[in-house]
Amino acid sequence: MRHSMQFLLIGLFLRVACVVGSTSTISVACIKSRGPICVIKSLPRTDGDKTKIAFPDLSKRTTLNVLEGKLSNLTEELALTLTVRNLKMEALGLKSIFINARFEELHLRDNKLTTLKTSSSSSPHSFALKLLDVRKNMLKNVSQLSPFDRLEELYLDDNQIDELRMDLFAKMQNLRVLSASGNGILKIVPPTNMLLLGELKSLSLGHNGLTSIEMEKWQLPALQSLQLNNNSLLEIAGLEEFNQFYDLSELKLAGNRWSCGWLRHALGNVSVRTSLHSEGVVLDADTHCSIENVFGICCSFTTMPEQEEEQIFQPEIGQVREAIRRIESRHEEFLRYRTDKLKELNDALDERLNKLKDHFANQANVNLNESERGKIAAKQILTQADQLKERYKQISSDIEVATNIDRERKHLLHFMVYMRNKLLSQAIETDKLWVQANDEKIGLEEPVENTP
């Protein structure tokens, strides 16, 4: 009896131990039992590795949408059970995710992602991923995206990316949307070879920390929307004019430090839309410019970026700035003069019209002779009113002519600074070539001198 009791106690102990050490599984279900989309209202709380989530059978579903809950990691084991093509897991606290090769769309916005995992045995062409939305995460290493060469839409906004290497996108020939705004990107590494993205329609690099972009080896023939706003750009190397993008319909440039000469040249042949019903490119604008603007985009007269700290052409730049200030002062005087003159003319016209109204109001109480004299006076008033209108038209025309003259003068100043920058660039390149040639000459002469 004693031995039987001992065996019973040992059995109970082992059973409890097994229960304590085992991993429990919690099943979740779709809100609707049928249909192509499985919506899971909320994920249950899990106790680390001790609790696992079992998703329902998704073999007849195309999309899985998890609305609420917490899930720190979508492991390989769990991801491989998700046989859907489209997966939406937003604001779940995800830190890492294993990307199943069959996924076509991943909506992972507002998580804490730092890691995108793939199988080491998978080849790049085995991934079906076409849309990846990882906005508002904590990604730093964008090289994790290299396996997904079938991407068509890529949203990287509001992460922690500080450098973007354009060679990463060289194999993404189907890419239509590339958005990487709000990252604090400081550097865009230009491609080593010509980068042709023939399908790219939208490129967004706004709200970063860019001071320069080298676009000499970029070919974007289908580009429609280009967003470079809110950076620290002076000019774009390798881009002569924005009209090289034939289908461009949206251009955002505000919030930078553009060089007026370069910006005037780059926008020179761009047809900017002036109203909702007109054709052309939609161009944003700065709210306030301290000195100068081109189509509403603030700019200044600066030296070239690499010569920013040198005092090159400082007297000329000062003269240009002083000329701009004088032009702005004349514009303000014109505006004041026009306002005062129009007020004077309007007051005179109102006075004469009021006299005319008083005359007609009292016409019933005067005799015929007075009525005739009133008609003559009315004609005189109308004649004077016509003269006032003619004077108004003449003044407006004169002001418009003066404004156009000053506008052309400013354009000429822009062109002067732009050409000065070009000449400076050529001088720097010539000087480098001269130094190189002189070094080669010295190198060729040294063996001759040392020959016995």
Side-chain angles (χ1 to χ4, degrees):
M1 184 69 178
R2 181 183 299 176
H3 292 293
S4 298
M5 183 62 69
Q6 289 177 347
F7 283 123
L8 179 61
L9 291 173
I10 292 173
L12 288 173
F13 175 78
L14 292 175
R15 183 175 297 178
V16 170
C18 290
V19 170
V20 172
S22 64
T23 301
S24 61
T25 301
I26 304 177
S27 298
V28 293
C30 307
I31 293 177
K32 294 183 179 181
S33 58
R34 296 181 180 179
I37 301 175
C38 172
V39 177
I40 295 176
K41 186 175 181 180
S42 180
L43 292 179
R45 291 186 177 183
T46 59
D47 184 15
D49 296 333
K50 296 181 179 180
T51 310
K52 292 185 177 181
I53 298 175
F55 285 92
D57 180 15
L58 300 170
S59 59
K60 296 182 180 180
R61 310 275 186 161
T62 60
T63 302
L64 173 61
N65 183 6
V66 181
L67 300 181
E68 297 178 356
K70 293 295 181 182
L71 181 65
S72 60
N73 300 299
L74 183 63
T75 63
E76 179 176 0
E77 178 185 1
L78 189 56
L80 293 177
T81 66
L82 306 180
T83 56
V84 295
R85 296 197 302 270
N86 308 323
L87 179 63
K88 188 173 183 180
M89 289 184 169
E90 297 183 341
L92 300 182
L94 279 168
K95 296 180 180 179
S96 69
I97 180 172
F98 179 87
I99 298 181
N100 192 334
R102 66 182 298 153
F103 289 154
E104 294 183 10
E105 292 187 11
L106 285 176
H107 300 267
L108 306 172
R109 186 174 180 173
D110 200 15
N111 281 290
K112 299 178 181 179
L113 284 171
T114 60
T115 307
L116 305 176
K117 297 180 179 180
T118 57
S119 175
S120 58
S121 60
S122 300
S123 63
H125 297 291
S126 64
F127 289 94
L129 195 60
K130 295 180 180 180
L131 185 151
L132 178 60
D133 185 353
V134 287
R135 287 174 286 183
K136 293 187 178 181
N137 277 280
M138 302 173 68
L139 290 173
K140 296 181 179 180
N141 181 15
V142 291
S143 63
Q144 301 175 85
L145 304 173
S146 58
F148 314 125
D149 56 7
R150 295 186 184 179
L151 274 173
E152 296 178 4
E153 299 180 42
L154 177 57
Y155 302 93
L156 299 170
D157 311 74
D158 301 309
N159 277 273
Q160 299 178 8
I161 303 166
D162 58 7
E163 182 178 280
L164 200 62
R165 293 183 173 272
M166 297 311 297
D167 280 335
L168 174 68
F169 309 105
K171 295 181 180 180
M172 300 180 186
Q173 290 300 299
N174 298 323
L175 196 62
R176 293 185 289 107
V177 177
L178 173 55
S179 186
S181 64
N183 276 282
I185 298 174
L186 300 175
K187 183 179 181 181
I188 292 184
V189 181
T192 53
N193 299 311
M194 191 62 67
L195 176 64
L196 174 60
L197 296 176
E199 300 297 324
L200 191 67
K201 294 183 178 181
S202 178
L203 175 61
S204 177
L205 297 171
H207 294 275
N208 285 297
L210 294 170
T211 56
S212 64
I213 300 179
E214 172 59 66
M215 295 187 70
E216 184 177 0
K217 295 182 179 180
W218 297 25
Q219 289 189 10
L220 313 174
L223 194 66
Q224 296 179 1
S225 175
L226 178 59
Q227 301 180 22
L228 301 173
N229 53 299
N230 297 98
N231 281 283
S232 297
L233 294 168
L234 291 171
E235 58 183 68
I236 301 175
L239 189 147
E240 289 294 327
E241 297 183 4
F242 286 108
N243 68 333
Q244 72 182 56
F245 306 121
Y246 299 106
D247 293 331
L248 196 65
S249 59
E250 181 186 41
L251 183 58
K252 291 189 176 182
L253 302 175
N256 281 283
R257 299 167 52 232
W258 297 113
S259 164
C260 287
W262 181 87
L263 189 61
R264 170 66 60 182
H265 178 75
L267 291 172
N269 295 316
V270 174
S271 177
V272 178
R273 183 183 297 183
T274 55
S275 67
L276 294 176
H277 304 289
S278 63
E279 296 182 355
V281 177
V282 176
L283 182 66
D284 63 344
D286 288 296
T287 56
H288 176 71
C289 299
S290 58
I291 297 180
E292 186 54 282
N293 72 83
V294 176
F295 291 113
I297 305 297
C298 293
C299 61
S300 60
F301 291 95
T302 60
T303 57
M304 297 181 65
E306 63 268 19
Q307 302 295 325
E308 189 173 4
E309 299 300 326
E310 298 185 18
Q311 302 299 314
I312 299 177
F313 290 106
Q314 287 304 307
E316 290 81 357
I317 296 299
Q319 292 172 7
V320 170
R321 287 176 174 164
E322 182 59 31
I324 291 294
R325 293 189 185 97
R326 289 198 299 268
I327 290 171
E328 295 295 342
S329 178
R330 282 201 299 271
H331 281 171
E332 292 177 2
E333 291 178 5
F334 280 138
L335 290 175
R336 286 194 298 270
Y337 170 75
R338 181 171 62 181
T339 301
D340 294 342
K341 206 64 180 176
L342 289 178
K343 185 177 184 303
E344 178 184 341
L345 294 175
N346 284 331
D347 291 343
L349 183 58
D350 288 340
E351 181 182 355
R352 284 165 174 75
L353 290 176
N354 288 332
K355 289 182 179 179
L356 183 60
K357 290 178 182 179
D358 293 339
H359 166 74
F360 286 124
N362 298 324
Q363 188 175 8
N365 300 324
V366 299
N367 57 30
L368 183 61
N369 291 335
E370 290 176 342
S371 177
E372 290 297 332
R373 287 196 298 270
K375 291 180 180 179
I376 294 172
K379 289 182 179 179
Q380 292 175 348
I381 292 173
L382 292 175
T383 301
Q384 292 176 354
D386 291 337
Q387 292 174 351
L388 289 173
K389 290 180 181 179
E390 290 298 325
R391 288 178 62 188
Y392 169 76
K393 291 180 180 179
Q394 184 62 41
I395 292 172
S396 297
S397 177
D398 293 343
I399 292 175
E400 183 65 24
V401 170
T403 302
N404 289 336
I405 291 174
D406 278 342
R407 186 182 296 115
E408 291 300 322
R409 290 186 63 186
K410 288 201 291 184
H411 291 180
L412 179 59
L413 292 172
H414 293 161
F415 179 73
M416 289 169 57
V417 176
Y418 175 73
M419 291 305 298
R420 190 275 307 163
N421 285 338
K422 287 292 184 183
L423 289 172
L424 180 59
S425 177
Q426 292 295 328
I428 293 172
E429 291 299 322
T430 302
D431 186 63
K432 290 180 180 179
L433 291 174
W434 185 87
V435 171
Q436 182 180 354
N438 190 53
D439 291 341
E440 292 179 357
K441 179 182 176 183
I442 294 173
L444 291 172
E445 290 177 349
E446 285 181 351
V448 175
E449 294 176 357
N450 296 331
T451 301

